[in-house]
């Protein structure tokens, strides 16, 4: 069993497709074991995306991520990290396979509907960035 962090980004929240995104995870056999709706501020968003600091898209990314509420959630299941990434599709929705979350719900590489951890190491860091151990209802 593996856990991974998922964020439903401001564009997907404002399009009212939170449930549709979560349905993709549940239909793939993944379970939501922690979830909350929050509005990130500049410091929290910058810290979360620290690995991208200095890249040309960093400021736009941070400003976008604080533009509205997001859902942060922990997803659990066999191979959850890879499964989540497959369900999300390519970072750039124009390159994402049909049927993936980004192909179906995202508009651009910036407003790309969802974030998912890309490795076990980042999942560990990203989950603990938003949740305490006792906030995960592992089952
Ligand atoms: P995410 O998976 O949340 O991780 C970093 C985000 O930066 C990414 O999704 C995109 O929304 C955004 N981004 C914007 N431009 C780029 C780019 N050229 N390469 C990667 N990510 C980008």
């Amino acid at each position: 069993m593996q856990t991974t962090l998922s964020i439903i980004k401001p564009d997907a929240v404002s399009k009212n497709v939170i449930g549709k995104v979560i349905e993709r995870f549940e239909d793939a056999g993944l379970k939501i074991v922690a979830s909350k709706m929050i509005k990130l501020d500049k410091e929290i968003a910058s810290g979360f995306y620290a690995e991208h600091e200095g890249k040309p898209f960093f400021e736009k990314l941070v400003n976008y991520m604080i533009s509205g509420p997001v859902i942060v959630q922990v997803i659990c299941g066999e191979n959850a990290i890879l499964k989540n990434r497959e369900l999300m599709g390519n970072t750039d929705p124009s390159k994402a396979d049909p049927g993936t979350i980004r192909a179906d719900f995202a508009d651009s590489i910036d407003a790309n509907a969802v974030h998912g951890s890309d490795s076990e190491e980042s999942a560990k860091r990203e989950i603990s960035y938003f949740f305490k151990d006792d906030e995960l209802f592992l089952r």
Side-chain angles (χ1 to χ4, degrees):
M1 283 296 166
Q2 220 174 29
T3 48
T4 187
L5 187 88
S6 159
I7 302 180
I8 304 180
K9 297 188 179 185
D11 56 306
V13 172
S14 76
K15 276 186 194 162
N16 215 20
V17 295
I18 296 169
K20 288 189 172 134
V21 171
I22 290 176
E23 195 173 27
R24 304 281 174 109
F25 301 139
E26 294 186 334
D27 285 351
L30 299 169
K31 289 183 184 344
I32 309 298
V33 297
S35 177
K36 56 189 167 191
M37 183 180 244
I38 51 173
K39 190 153 185 302
L40 305 180
D41 64 21
K42 206 156 211 166
E43 195 186 338
I44 291 176
S46 302
F48 181 76
Y49 280 120
E51 67 179 291
H52 296 299
E53 216 170 329
K55 293 184 187 168
F57 58 86
F58 181 71
E59 198 167 331
K60 201 171 172 193
L61 169 64
V62 169
N63 284 330
Y64 169 66
M65 290 300 289
I66 65 173
S67 66
V70 298
I71 305 282
V72 288
Q73 50 193 356
V74 180
I75 297 178
C76 176
E78 213 171 295
N79 285 320
I81 295 170
L82 184 63
K83 252 191 205 170
N84 181 35
R85 294 184 70 76
E86 286 172 357
L87 292 169
M88 290 191 299
N90 194 292
T91 306
D92 182 348
S94 68
K95 296 182 187 149
D97 288 338
T100 60
I101 294 169
R102 284 170 171 153
D104 291 348
F105 302 121
D107 298 321
S108 68
I109 195 165
D110 300 302
N112 66 350
V114 279
H115 165 84
S117 310
D118 64 2
S119 65
E120 278 194 49
E121 196 187 348
S122 67
K124 202 170 165 209
R125 184 187 84 83
E126 292 179 1
I127 291 169
S128 66
Y129 196 80
F130 288 112
F131 295 96
K132 297 186 204 119
D133 283 351
D134 65 4
E135 290 177 316
L136 270 54
F137 294 91
L138 297 166
R139 52 207 157 106

